Amino acid sequence: MRYYALTDTGVARKENQDYVYASGDSVGILPNIFIVADGMGGHNAGDYASRRAVSIALDEIENSDESKPVAILDKAIKKANEVLYREAASDPAKQGMGTTFVAATISDKKLYVANVGDSRLYIADNTTICQITRDHSLVQEMIRSGRMGTFDPRRHPKRNAITRAIGVEPDVNIDFFEVSNNNFEQFVLCSDGLTNMIDDNELFAQLTGNDEAKTKANVLVSMANRKGGLDNISVIVVEPFDE
């Protein structure tokens, strides 16, 4: 397994509210785990929310008594939501904080994915790229309902408005996906700071070829910054089947 995680403040922002975690080694009974969290909130609350959510989830995964990846991820993310919601309610400085959360693990020849918000996971091979997660965002809801019209979703004034996040409600609804490992050669987790700046075709073009995961991640972040870097940019490139 080869992988590389990278997060960057971008050009326009002064602080980085994204947080990434990548481990090819086991955490609890999960043989590997990859996470991207994109925080939101005033001052340092967004930075705190993303880091705190990942920390809580990893602790829950490490000590989980569940045996199935989906059940492990479900309890871990719900625990993170519970703690962040309670902290936001009790601390005025953290009021309104929240974070997206996309996590993935390869186990028993399957890719298991959990998602809340608009951070994404893509799978790719040498011929195609496919977004596995479904954005929980106002823009995507407009697209699904046919109300987007001729607007470019990546330029819509409400492109950053999300409809689900960890920490903003007492309960959280999590999407889960399972993908057989014979359907892809690599997968990518990323925040919207990447996908708002480059489209899927541009993303796919950088994933093809023989470059290492580190090079691919660096090129993607550099490309997003060259196009304006309007938000924090996070990406994890994973090539799970390379020795």
Side-chain angles (χ1 to χ4, degrees), residues 61-73:
I61 292 168
E62 182 72 47
N63 296 290
S64 180
D65 56 5
E66 298 288 347
S67 59
K68 302 293 185 182
V70 170
I72 293 170
L73 292 171

Side-chain angles (χ1 to χ4, degrees), residues 27-33 57 60-62 64-78 101 103-115 174-179:
V27 178
I29 69 165
L30 295 184
N32 48 74
I33 185 72
E60 289 294 309
I61 292 168
E62 182 72 47
S64 180
D65 56 5
E66 298 288 347
S67 59
K68 302 293 185 182
V70 170
I72 293 170
L73 292 171
D74 182 66
K75 289 184 72 173
I77 295 170
K78 286 179 177 176
F101 197 100
T105 183
I106 288 274
S107 179
D108 298 325
K109 299 183 179 180
K110 283 188 178 181
L111 174 65
Y112 295 91
V113 184
N115 184 59
I174 310 162
D175 284 353
F176 293 96
F177 308 88
E178 296 181 20
V179 185

Side-chain angles (χ1 to χ4, degrees), residues 1-242:
M1 174 178 285
R2 298 191 302 183
Y3 60 90
Y4 192 77
L6 181 63
T7 185
D8 188 85
T9 303
V11 175
R13 298 293 178 93
K14 294 182 179 179
E15 61 181 17
N16 192 348
Q17 296 189 333
D18 286 4
Y19 190 75
V20 298
Y21 180 87
S23 176
D25 297 322
S26 61
V27 178
I29 69 165
L30 295 184
N32 48 74
I33 185 72
F34 305 93
I35 304 170
V36 168
D38 179 358
M40 61 186 187
H43 302 290
N44 294 321
D47 171 69
Y48 178 85
S50 58
R51 290 175 179 271
R52 183 79 165 123
V54 173
S55 176
I56 295 164
L58 289 172
D59 186 63
E60 289 294 309
I61 292 168
E62 182 72 47
N63 296 290
S64 180
D65 56 5
E66 298 288 347
S67 59
K68 302 293 185 182
V70 170
I72 293 170
L73 292 171
D74 182 66
K75 289 184 72 173
I77 295 170
K78 286 179 177 176
K79 182 64 174 182
N81 184 78
E82 173 191 331
V83 173
L84 260 65
Y85 181 77
R86 185 172 64 245
E87 291 183 359
S90 62
D91 184 350
K94 296 184 176 69
Q95 187 175 5
M97 75 174 177
T99 184
T100 70
F101 197 100
V102 59
T105 183
I106 288 274
S107 179
D108 298 325
K109 299 183 179 180
K110 283 188 178 181
L111 174 65
Y112 295 91
V113 184
N115 184 59
V116 178
D118 64 353
S119 294
R120 295 179 179 179
L121 183 139
Y122 292 85
I123 60 170
D125 58 22
N126 285 330
T127 60
T128 58
I129 188 170
C130 178
Q131 181 182 339
I132 297 301
T133 53
R134 177 174 171 169
D135 292 357
H136 305 136
S137 69
L138 184 60
V139 163
Q140 287 302 314
E141 287 186 2
M142 293 173 68
I143 291 173
R144 288 191 285 268
S145 66
R147 294 182 289 119
M148 178 56 67
T150 59
F151 258 113
D152 178 354
R154 294 183 297 126
R155 301 292 180 263
H156 195 280
K158 294 187 177 180
R159 64 187 178 276
N160 294 323
I162 59 176
T163 55
R164 291 189 212 172
I166 291 178
V168 299
E169 300 287 347
D171 298 304
V172 63
N173 188 14
I174 310 162
D175 284 353
F176 293 96
F177 308 88
E178 296 181 20
V179 185
S180 173
N181 68 6
N182 59 12
N183 289 334
F184 63 94
E185 296 173 357
Q186 56 189 313
F187 61 90
V188 178
L189 300 86
C190 58
S191 64
D192 68 343
L194 181 74
T195 54
N196 281 339
M197 303 311 300
I198 68 174
D199 63 29
D200 289 3
N201 290 330
E202 292 170 314
L203 174 57
F204 176 63
Q206 299 306 320
L207 294 176
T208 56
N210 297 319
D211 287 337
E212 295 183 354
K214 179 178 180 179
T215 300
K216 293 173 183 177
N218 275 290
V219 168
L220 287 169
V221 169
S222 295
M223 178 182 292
N225 276 325
R226 286 198 307 272
K227 291 192 168 212
L230 299 180
D231 199 354
N232 307 144
I233 308 158
S234 293
V235 59
I236 304 175
V237 178
V238 186
E239 300 167 340
F241 312 121
D242 287 332

